[in-house]
Amino acid sequence: MPSAYADHGSMADIARDKARQHGVAVVGGTAAASAPRRKEATISTADDEALTPRARTRSWDYVWRSGVAGGVAGCVAKTTVAPLDRVKILFQTSNPQFAKYTGSSFGVASAMKDIYLQEGGRGLFRGHSATLLRIFPYAGIKFLAYEQIRSIVIPSKNHETPFRRLVSGSLAGVTSVFFTYPLEVVRVRLAFETRRDGRSSLTSICRQIYNEHAVEKSRSAKLPTPPATETAVGSAAESVAPRVGLANFYRGFAPTMLGMLPYAGVSFLTHDTMTDLLRHPSISEHTTLPKKKNHPEGKAAPLRSWAELTAGGIAGMISQTSSYPLEVVRRRMQVGGAVGDGRRLRVGETAAMIFRERGIRGFFVGLTIGYVKVIPLAAVSFYTYERMKLILGI
């Protein structure tokens, strides 16, 4: 009997300790808490776990499924707007043959008609094979990275803030660009070409970019220079613009990284904010679909098609506006080896050149077509990603 009482006493002590840790009042040696408070704590914990189930998010099964969903979403979205993307690149890079269409009310339609007459329907998809080769890993890595980074930056509902959403999206965008940028340069170079005969293949474009180097203007007329000084100058020039190498595949990488920070960050922030607004209880019956039996536990109800497309479209419009000037600078740097003397320009030099040519408006050349392209691109991308997640059960 004494040992039984002793055991009972130790169990009571343990119960009191646990009650104190959870902030529950202890009355007469017994933990006491109202039923509503226990229910509230349970709901709060469930909400946190439903928001960011970190163990499930970091499983290999979730990783590959989210990567595939993102890759498919990117390919579907890019294919939808491929003709507009081709025209946009020609406008941004000031292609001489299409410069006459910039600034015109029907410039986009006229340019597309011109391309169709010269190159046929396939011309509107020039460089699209390289686009798909790049976009699948790019979009897959971007959405996958966002899910993983978000689970770390926003571990619970209490940490859900616009700034943390912005940071999560920005880091996801930078991660995806770092791994797929060379393919982006190849795609732009393929889209930039407008000649009918002797079009470059994917292999020849890669070889050409690898072997590009700055034109040595001093060779034709050299002034007498001490060997040591000449060697030093040559070494300095070589360090700025090496003759050949993989570095050529990263033309315009700096402005791309700078532009991706606001673009991806604002895109994910706006999309998540819009989905929260569209799931508000006052309108959720009109904007969300009923959950199916196999719907992942704790996951919010999916938005209806029009609501998901609206959230993605608004996200695309706002993110495009915030990053467009840097995108123009990036495009000009990417085609630097195909025009001019082949020297790789820095961000500041490229921006100054654009300003001298067209002033402030030069940084927004093609913005209208940018809206026309990015709004459906983002809408289709987010919509396909969310639907693919449902299909793959994540």
Side-chain angles (χ1 to χ4, degrees):
M1 292 296 292
S3 66
Y5 283 118
D7 290 341
H8 178 75
S10 62
M11 291 298 291
D13 291 338
I14 293 173
R16 281 195 296 271
D17 291 339
K18 288 185 176 180
R20 292 191 186 98
Q21 291 175 5
H22 289 83
V24 180
V26 180
V27 181
T30 305
S34 62
R37 182 165 183 176
R38 284 198 302 270
K39 183 178 180 181
E40 179 180 315
T42 303
I43 293 174
S44 176
T45 304
D47 286 343
D48 288 347
E49 291 176 355
L51 179 69
T52 54
R54 299 180 67 178
R56 181 171 64 88
T57 302
R58 295 185 181 182
S59 67
W60 282 112
D61 185 65
Y62 189 96
V63 166
W64 80 260
R65 289 173 188 266
S66 61
V68 169
V72 171
C75 289
V76 172
K78 273 293 186 180
T79 301
T80 303
V81 299
L84 289 170
D85 202 24
R86 172 85 198 278
V87 175
K88 179 185 171 188
I89 290 174
L90 293 171
F91 282 5
Q92 286 181 331
T93 54
S94 298
N95 186 287
Q97 186 177 340
F98 291 86
K100 58 186 176 183
Y101 296 125
T102 57
S104 171
S105 302
F106 301 96
V108 174
S110 300
M112 291 178 67
K113 180 181 178 181
D114 197 355
I115 294 172
Y116 181 80
L117 292 176
Q118 291 184 19
E119 306 177 37
R122 296 180 62 182
L124 295 171
F125 291 85
R126 177 75 173 154
H128 189 57
S129 57
T131 298
L132 295 180
L133 184 64
R134 178 194 71 92
I135 201 64
F136 187 89
Y138 168 78
I141 293 172
K142 183 179 73 172
F143 282 107
L144 167 60
Y146 180 69
E147 298 278 3
Q148 300 301 315
I149 294 172
R150 177 186 166 87
S151 68
I152 297 172
V153 177
I154 309 176
S156 68
K157 189 174 182 179
N158 294 332
H159 296 85
E160 186 87 14
T161 63
F163 178 74
R164 288 175 181 269
R165 285 178 170 178
L166 182 70
V167 169
S168 299
S170 298
L171 292 178
V174 168
T175 302
S176 61
V177 166
F178 178 79
F179 287 105
T180 60
Y181 190 78
L183 291 171
E184 166 70 0
V185 175
V186 173
R187 178 185 76 90
V188 171
R189 293 293 288 274
L190 283 169
F192 180 73
E193 285 192 355
T194 56
R195 59 186 181 183
R196 299 184 187 181
D197 303 324
R199 291 172 181 161
S200 302
S201 64
L202 184 62
T203 304
S204 63
I205 280 287
C206 292
R207 188 182 301 111
Q208 178 185 341
I209 295 173
Y210 183 86
N211 291 306
E212 284 171 356
H213 59 84
V215 177
E216 297 182 22
K217 297 180 181 179
S218 59
R219 257 197 195 175
S220 57
K222 259 190 196 177
L223 294 175
T225 309
T229 307
E230 185 176 351
T231 303
V233 172
S235 300
E238 191 72 13
S239 64
V240 174
R243 294 177 182 273
V244 295
L246 295 175
N248 287 335
F249 288 93
Y250 280 84
R251 289 179 182 270
F253 185 67
T256 299
M257 296 293 281
L258 293 175
M260 184 53 65
L261 289 172
Y263 180 81
V266 172
S267 179
F268 279 109
L269 167 62
T270 306
H271 177 263
D272 287 358
T273 303
M274 285 300 302
T275 54
D276 287 347
L277 293 174
L278 291 170
R279 286 194 178 105
H280 192 273
S282 61
I283 59 173
S284 60
E285 63 176 319
H286 305 292
T287 59
T288 60
L289 295 170
K291 294 182 180 180
K292 296 183 179 180
K293 293 181 180 180
N294 61 344
H295 192 81
E297 185 179 355
K299 183 178 176 63
L303 293 175
R304 295 182 183 274
S305 297
W306 70 265
E308 187 63 64
L309 290 170
T310 299
I314 293 175
M317 181 180 67
I318 296 177
S319 60
Q320 177 76 350
T321 304
S322 66
S323 63
Y324 195 79
L326 282 168
E327 184 179 349
V328 174
V329 173
R330 171 169 61 99
R331 296 297 191 199
R332 291 294 292 269
M333 293 179 73
Q334 286 175 338
V335 300
V339 296
D341 61 3
R343 184 171 65 89
R344 283 203 302 276
L345 298 176
R346 297 183 178 88
V347 177
E349 292 175 319
T350 306
M353 179 175 64
I354 294 172
F355 184 78
R356 285 195 303 269
E357 290 177 358
R358 300 192 177 185
I360 294 296
R361 294 182 63 183
F363 293 99
F364 294 93
V365 170
L367 180 58
T368 303
I369 189 175
Y371 284 141
V372 173
K373 189 201 84 166
V374 170
I375 290 176
L377 174 69
V380 173
S381 180
F382 278 112
Y383 172 81
T384 307
Y385 178 65
E386 293 298 331
R387 291 300 183 263
M388 284 298 298
K389 286 173 68 177
L390 291 176
I391 292 172
L392 294 173
I394 57 174

